[in-house]
Amino acid sequence: MTVSESVMKKVLLSYTYVSIWIFLSFSVIIYNKYILDQKMYNWPFPISLTMIHMAFCSSLAYILVKIFKLVEPISMSFDIYLKSVVPIGALYSLSLWFSNSAYIYLSVSFIQMLKALMPVAVYSIGVSFKKESFKKDTMINMVSISLGVAVAAYGEAKFDVFGVTLQLMAVAFEATRLVLIQILLNSKGIKLNPITSLYYIAPCCLVFLSLPWFVMEYPLLRDKSSLELDLWVFGSNSLCAFALNLAVFLLVGKTSALTMNVAGVVKDWLLIAFSWSVIKDTVTPLNLIGYGLAFLGVAYYNHCKLKALKASEAQKGVQQEDTEAGKLLEERDGKQDEQNSRKNHN
């Protein structure tokens, strides 16, 4: 009875973490769309919105790390920060800027369909950086995902070339960032959780975004004399963005990154349904067929990743057992040698 209660508690907690993450991720996407869309709140300044998020998140991360000491900061030299963190910060700022900009031109549902290309981008860039080995089966799967997204794009009722270009660039920058995290941080033994990531990377993003902001958005904001920043709207939006990072910390820490990938698929379908039913975006049958094909490819990719992870863990377990068996044999041989030397001495 105690075992079943313990298992049930773990399952319920996992579902709770997944539900919180889906809710917050869903909320941030819809909230950003609401603020940026010209038919809704009509505040089409994606760089400014991203900078508000980064300023808010870096301030709260500083409070959590330095004052409340919720997580320990990573000890790193300025040279490592410059060579490892700064490039990742630059890519993150570009990814956020372009993905937020896409909400002005594309529907929420179509953006989620385009995001299905993320595994394709990560794998392709991983192969080019020699972090992934080229496999024919995996590449065929990547082509099937791409074809699915192409069908969804062909069936899109409000296709916008500029918006699609922005979203594809956001996917490319985000995929490059994920690969560079492996190369520049993980390979050096530097592990950043979502809180320490914001602590080190958010200020860096703020600096990078200030350059295009000053050229592209500052003149427009300066000339808009009637502009007033609604503290409730932007404060709650920034709080949602920060809470999402905390939810990622909980979800990955208490379950796994693969669980988050699976939860992400559920969230995408929910967003498509919400976009169609509430926002009244047009979702065509061809959209759904194309995204369905891409979804199957992404599901198969996650399945292969899970199998590889299990095989790797099993291999580590065998190696550990072999090491322990070797130590026991060495100890036994050592004792036998000691006994033999004593006998010879006597």
Side-chain angles (χ1 to χ4, degrees), residues 114-127 132-150 171 175 290 293-305:
L114 291 173
K115 282 181 181 178
L117 286 170
M118 185 59 76
V120 180
V122 171
Y123 179 72
S124 304
I125 292 164
V127 168
E132 292 271 3
S133 55
F134 179 84
K135 291 176 185 173
K136 189 180 177 182
D137 292 349
T138 308
M139 187 50 75
I140 290 168
N141 187 34
M142 295 299 123
V143 171
S144 71
I145 294 171
S146 303
L147 284 173
V149 173
V171 168
L293 290 170
F295 163 73
L296 290 173
V298 172
Y300 180 70
Y301 175 76
N302 284 335
H303 171 70
C304 292
K305 280 284 183 185

Side-chain angles (χ1 to χ4, degrees), residues 86-103:
V86 169
I88 291 166
L91 288 166
Y92 193 41
S93 61
L94 289 168
S95 169
L96 291 171
W97 169 17
F98 289 130
S99 62
N100 281 335
S101 298
Y103 287 114

Side-chain angles (χ1 to χ4, degrees), residues 325-338:
K327 284 179 181 177
L328 287 170
L329 283 170
E330 283 176 12
E331 285 175 11
R332 192 184 70 183
D333 292 343
K335 284 178 182 177
Q336 284 180 349
D337 290 341
E338 192 178 334

Side-chain angles (χ1 to χ4, degrees), residues 66 71 122 180 213 238 271 305-306 327:
K66 286 293 186 182
V71 289
V122 171
L180 282 187
W213 175 80
S238 299
L271 279 166
K305 280 284 183 185
L306 181 60
K327 284 179 181 177

Side-chain angles (χ1 to χ4, degrees), residues 262-291:
V262 175
V265 172
V266 175
K267 178 208 71 181
D268 289 343
W269 280 109
L270 287 172
L271 279 166
I272 290 168
F274 184 87
S275 176
W276 170 72
S277 60
V278 180
I279 304 176
K280 303 299 180 186
D281 286 331
T282 306
V283 179
T284 65
L286 210 54
N287 273 152
L288 295 175
I289 291 166
Y291 184 64

Side-chain angles (χ1 to χ4, degrees), residues 47-121:
I47 306 174
S48 301
L49 182 63
T50 310
M51 286 180 74
I52 290 167
H53 287 173
M54 290 297 103
F56 186 88
C57 289
S58 58
S59 302
L60 273 187
Y62 181 84
I63 291 166
L64 290 176
V65 172
K66 286 293 186 182
I67 298 171
F68 290 106
K69 301 189 186 299
L70 189 69
V71 289
E72 286 292 321
I74 309 296
S75 58
M76 66 169 80
S77 65
F78 181 73
D79 185 57
I80 290 175
Y81 182 83
L82 204 62
K83 290 178 180 176
S84 300
V85 175
V86 169
I88 291 166
L91 288 166
Y92 193 41
S93 61
L94 289 168
S95 169
L96 291 171
W97 169 17
F98 289 130
S99 62
N100 281 335
S101 298
Y103 287 114
I104 299 170
Y105 305 97
L106 303 175
S107 67
V108 170
S109 55
F110 187 43
I111 285 172
Q112 303 318 302
M113 294 174 192
L114 291 173
K115 282 181 181 178
L117 286 170
M118 185 59 76
V120 180

Side-chain angles (χ1 to χ4, degrees), residues 35 41-43 45 52 220-235:
I35 290 170
Y41 189 76
N42 191 23
W43 203 76
F45 302 105
I52 290 167
L220 296 171
L221 289 165
R222 184 187 57 200
D223 296 340
K224 209 170 184 180
S225 56
S226 60
L227 182 75
E228 285 184 14
L229 210 62
D230 190 323
L231 290 177
W232 164 249
V233 169
F234 291 98

